[in-house]
Amino acid sequence: MALHAVAHPDQVARIAAADRRAADRAKVVGDPTLDRLLASRPLRERYRAALGTGARRLLVLVSTWGPESLLRRFPELPARLAAHLPQDEYQLALVVHPNEHSLLGTYDLTERLAPALDAGLVLAGPHEEWASVLIAADALVTDHGSTALYYCATEDRPVVGVHRGGAELIPGSPMHTLLDRIPRLGAPDAAPSAVEEALRAYRPGTGREAARTAFAQQGRALRLLRTELYALLGLTPPARTAPPRLLPEPRPAERVPAAFDVDTAVETRTGTRADGVAARVRVARRPVGLGAPGDHLAAEDGSASEALVRSAGVLYRRPLPAADASSALAWTADGWMRHALAAYPGCRTAAAVLTPDLFLLRTRTRASTGTAEASGAYAVQVAPLAEDGRVTRADPAAAVSAVHAWLLRDSPSPAPDPVSLALAPLRLSCVIGDRAFALVLRPATDAEAAAPF
């Protein structure tokens, strides 16, 4: 071979240790793939928008191929994390080595990952999409595969390891250095509860230090490689240089969960708080069926299965797609809520999401006679949150669960009726992770109740 193009001088030394003559033909040109990642960093927000990440933290799992890979040793880890990490705080993605894609095939791979995919896991494509997902990521969980080094070379964000040792990791290699210095997840059973602790334990700069031992000539690889190749051909390179091609937008998750086990914690005080908020309600939603049941089951009508809709204590419905909005037959918002409470005896709360910032809601309460009574129609406005020049919005379905938990809480004080709220709208706070979204509860207007839906 006339040329061994490598990414770092240490690789020349490794070649020399095996074959001195081969090392004489080695040239350090850098890594063209890394240069594409570096050039595409300004598209990070665009990639996150394409994935539907929003304000969530994108946690990417990276699995190489072979018997010591993440997916071979811990095949349950993607589903386990999906079961325990709150849906409104985390988005999960998985990058699988192309060899594993080829070995298993798309059908077999997706069948093995079905529980996690049903929970919204993004399975990155093996050609270019994986690199876009790395740029979008907020944190990484890696085995001993070198993909993690690309992530570490682009930005200094947390990375933790799950490698348990074996014969495949080369001693003294950049990945050996990285795995030796980053936090490690505990046993697979403890990983969901330990992942946040491990990410917090990451020491800034650790990943960058390891990546510098793997990649030299960053940003210059295409130019240097072209020079070497044209020299081999005995030709003069053209004057115009070719910049690295930007990476494409990644595809969002193919499956979006439509039913959740919801845990809530209601914090109330006698009277109204000093800030005017009557109560704070913490909400954590997790895809149904992967873990322990929550305080209530919330399901999206029109997307969740019949069995889940019939079992749900909270039913919510989003507006029809634009193509269906002009249908000759449609519900009104209040008409659908009344229908849901009548058709599904297990439903305690029905909510019609009109916009990202407004939903209507009716509850089924238990009267002193023991019979079920439906409340009047409430309207709930969800205020967006301003953070460092950005606007963050809560999923209104999470806010529905917050209002449901407060209205139907065990309390000697009855929930306010729409008549009293007309005089004094009620302020609540829906707490999701470390964010608190302001909710205003008031009676629904006639126009809102009659809105086509």
Side-chain angles (χ1 to χ4, degrees):
M1 183 175 290
L3 173 67
H4 296 288
V6 298
H8 193 273
D10 286 353
Q11 295 169 2
V12 178
R14 287 185 176 274
I15 294 174
D19 186 334
R20 182 68 256 179
R21 291 175 300 176
D24 292 339
R25 296 189 294 273
K27 298 284 186 177
V28 178
V29 301
D31 190 305
T33 298
L34 175 63
D35 284 5
R36 291 190 67 191
L37 272 87
L38 295 174
S40 301
R41 282 185 300 182
L43 280 67
R44 171 176 162 82
E45 294 299 321
R46 182 172 174 178
Y47 296 156
R48 291 172 66 86
L51 291 168
T53 306
R56 294 179 293 174
R57 196 176 191 186
L58 176 57
L59 179 63
V60 177
L61 311 182
V62 176
S63 179
T64 188
W65 65 295
E68 297 177 12
S69 68
L70 183 151
L71 280 185
R72 298 290 187 91
R73 285 187 166 179
F74 313 116
E76 78 287 356
L77 186 58
R80 190 178 298 278
L81 291 175
H84 291 270
L85 295 176
Q87 182 80 14
D88 297 296
E89 300 173 48
Y90 284 91
Q91 183 183 34
L92 290 176
L94 175 63
V95 171
V96 181
H97 195 283
N99 287 358
E100 201 75 358
H101 274 275
S102 299
L103 176 66
L104 296 176
T106 301
Y107 178 82
D108 196 8
L109 182 61
T110 55
E111 283 300 299
R112 294 186 185 200
L113 295 170
L117 292 171
D118 289 342
L121 175 77
V122 174
L123 179 58
H127 176 42
E128 297 175 310
E129 200 171 70
W130 65 271
S132 305
V133 170
L134 290 190
I135 292 174
D138 294 299
L140 199 78
V141 176
T142 185
D143 56 18
H144 59 298
S146 59
T147 301
L149 292 170
Y150 288 103
Y151 166 83
C152 292
T154 55
E155 296 290 346
D156 188 18
R157 299 190 177 97
V159 54
V160 299
V162 292
H163 184 61
R164 296 276 187 252
E168 295 179 356
L169 180 61
I170 301 173
S173 66
M175 272 308 299
H176 183 272
T177 300
L178 177 66
L179 292 171
D180 192 48
R181 297 177 181 178
I182 61 176
R184 184 179 298 175
L185 289 181
D189 288 345
S193 59
V195 63
E196 291 187 9
E197 180 180 344
L199 293 174
R200 285 193 298 268
Y202 172 79
R203 180 172 60 83
T206 303
R208 279 276 178 85
E209 292 171 7
R212 277 194 289 268
T213 67
F215 303 112
Q217 304 290 2
Q218 295 186 18
R220 303 174 62 199
L222 285 178
R223 181 169 60 82
L224 292 174
L225 181 60
R226 186 183 68 160
T227 298
E228 295 295 338
L229 293 176
Y230 272 87
L232 286 176
L233 296 171
L235 300 174
T236 301
R240 179 179 177 275
T241 60
R245 287 186 295 109
L246 298 180
L247 295 165
E249 291 184 5
R251 294 166 297 172
E254 293 185 4
R255 311 171 198 173
V256 178
F260 299 91
D261 286 313
V262 187
D263 288 307
T264 57
V266 181
E267 174 197 329
T268 59
R269 296 181 181 177
T270 303
T272 301
R273 295 161 51 99
D275 57 6
V277 176
R280 289 166 57 90
V281 185
R282 182 170 292 278
V283 175
R285 301 189 302 162
R286 297 171 178 84
V288 69
L290 291 180
D295 298 335
H296 64 265
L297 171 62
E300 181 174 353
D301 183 62
S303 295
S305 69
E306 175 71 4
L308 290 173
V309 168
R310 289 199 172 276
S311 301
V314 171
L315 279 179
Y316 59 93
R317 185 181 175 100
R318 302 184 192 272
L320 291 172
D324 300 328
S326 59
S327 170
L329 181 64
W331 290 105
T332 65
D334 195 38
W336 176 81
M337 292 190 298
R338 291 177 180 274
H339 160 75
L341 291 173
Y344 301 105
C347 176
R348 299 290 304 279
T349 295
V353 178
L354 300 183
T355 72
D357 301 327
L358 175 67
F359 63 86
L360 306 191
L361 176 143
R362 278 183 175 272
T363 62
R364 190 200 314 275
T365 59
R366 185 67 61 183
S368 58
T369 59
T371 59
E373 295 180 350
S375 71
Y378 300 98
V380 180
Q381 293 174 296
V382 186
L385 195 62
E387 296 179 314
D388 300 325
R390 296 173 181 265
V391 176
T392 301
R393 284 182 162 82
D395 184 343
V400 169
S401 283
V403 177
H404 164 85
W406 186 78
L407 288 175
L408 301 181
R409 71 197 186 285
D410 293 327
S411 172
S413 303
D417 60 78
V419 176
S420 63
L421 288 177
L423 301 175
L426 185 73
R427 293 182 62 199
L428 300 173
S429 182
C430 174
V431 182
I432 299 173
D434 58 0
R435 294 182 172 92
F437 296 89
L439 311 181
V440 177
L441 187 68
R442 59 171 174 78
T445 66
D446 293 342
E448 290 167 340
F453 187 68

